[in-house]
Amino acid sequence: MTTFSNTNNPAYIWDAFNQQWVPIGTGPHTHGTGDVPGVIPNTTVTAAGDMIVATGAGVVTRQGIGSNNTILHVDNTQPTGMAWVTPGTALVTGGSTNDGTIPVASSTATTGIAWQTYMAAGKNFILNGACDWWQRGTSFSSGSPTGGWTADRIWVQDYTSVSRSTDVPSGQGFAYSINIANTGFNYPRADIYIPAEEAVFIAGKTVTFSVWAKNISGNASLYFEQQVPTSVNGFNGSVTNLGGTTLAAAGSFSGSWQRYSYTFVVSSTAATNGLILHPVRDATTASSTNYTGFQLEVGTQATSFSRAGGAYGTDLLLCQRYYHRHTSSGGLYTNFGWGQGAGTGSAWIQVQHPVPMRATPSSIDIPTSYSGITLYGNSNNVAPTFYPVTSVVFDIADAEISSLNVGVSGGGITPSAFYRMINQSSTAWYLGFSAEVR
Amino acid sequence: MASLPDNVKLLTTTGIDGSEVDHVIIDNGDGSSTVMFKSVWDAQQELAQTATPYEGKIAE
């Protein structure tokens, strides 16, 4: 006897139009994928993380999972319109192949991102990094290993000559480089002093130093290192050498312009005592080197060069906080200051500095000869006359307005009367003030 | 008072308050002179006495 099941099963009728059986009623049954128009086969995906994506209207395919830690980004060169990439690699075709560029939003770029150079005021902690400013002159010679100030903010040691050069890396925007030549000294180096009040922002941080350099002559290596003074801004005294790295090995320092960089952690001591950086030709008795584009920035990459002040003129103003020189560029009778008679043999001449100096100026910088420099004035209602200057010293040193005690030969100065200090017959005269760190 | 180097001359002036002030005028030998209060120069000389000689790179 037939046993009837309690399980529901469908019945089937023949669809003569589509030439297939069609279930009716309820109960388990199966279909081929072709039975249901538009169905996506589950065999499209084959592994964990696979995705089903479109390659066009009504067409789908498998987007396999990427490797660990990759990210999915839009890529219209792929059939699926997307691709997996490793973070940090180029998201925009032809973009990040330029070292030091940064991504920015771009409504015209396909991906909405474009790469561009990074120039910004304040990112470079080295003033006059482009070697634009040479207030003290454009050529120097030294027979002492102690060296001296050359281009603004660059103290050079172990040199025989330093000069401004127009030999610069092509297409970078620089107008000048600094040439450092030595014979007889062993470690010609360009000291860059960053005082504590500036270094405090980078102390303990990872920074990148970069510089364009060119070997003019000599086989010595190009080395870079950091030092810190052992007292507050004591750049003229005891320092601790913290070492560095060889930028170009002996015999391998190129005779063509190249940009060198070194990433390091700034000593925490720099926050209180300041920081010394220098490229040095190591252990040589004769060499000649050109440098330009000094830059120190936070981070691990040497980005596009920027002037510390962001512009040609602002870099000068920042340098003038440390040193400024008033020259005779106005020709004869250039005014160097004015004031009042102090006694019969001297006057107090006031000089306003172009910007407030970083500290009370410590010294005055003048030619050894006073030839042609005079005080011009007289007592009230008397025609002014010239009084040859014989000495210039500080009366009161001040960061904003300094007062000078200016002596003259032969007396004749009227106390309290008005006098100007001018170059009567020499355009070689200058008057400099230094608030430098050494 | 210790004698000054040959290239350094001393000049004493009277300040606005009537006090006497010592200055040094340093002949740099290149046609330029550096002028400063003697007290500043003394401090710089004292610091320079502690200067660390540079002896080349240290081990990398």
Side-chain angles (χ1 to χ4, degrees), chain A residues 187 189 221 223 225 227 231 234 236-239 241-246 278 280 282 348 362-368 391-397 405 430, chain B residues 11 13-16 21 23-37 40 44-45 47-60:
Chain A
Y187 306 106
R189 56 199 186 277
S221 65
Y223 187 72
E225 64 194 349
Q227 300 175 322
S231 61
N236 192 31
S238 171
V239 300
N241 192 344
L242 299 174
T245 193
T246 298
H278 58 227
V280 53
D282 191 61
W348 292 313
S362 58
S363 64
I364 301 166
D365 184 22
I366 55 176
T368 300
S391 65
V392 175
V393 298
F394 276 123
D395 170 36
I396 298 171
N405 188 318
Y430 57 82
Chain B
L11 180 69
T13 62
T14 301
I16 196 167
V21 182
H23 309 264
V24 292
I25 302 169
I26 306 158
D27 185 339
N28 298 318
D30 59 358
S32 72
S33 292
T34 303
V35 183
M36 64 180 74
F37 290 119
V40 173
Q44 289 189 0
Q45 296 299 300
L47 182 61
Q49 295 297 317
T50 69
T52 306
Y54 184 75
E55 297 174 337
K57 68 182 182 183
I58 62 176
E60 293 181 49

Side-chain angles (χ1 to χ4, degrees), chain A residues 132-154:
Chain A
D132 291 315
W133 297 104
W134 299 70
Q135 292 187 86
R136 297 173 179 86
T138 54
S139 64
F140 307 85
S141 59
S142 172
S144 162
T146 303
W149 291 108
T150 57
D152 278 53
R153 301 295 298 123
I154 301 177

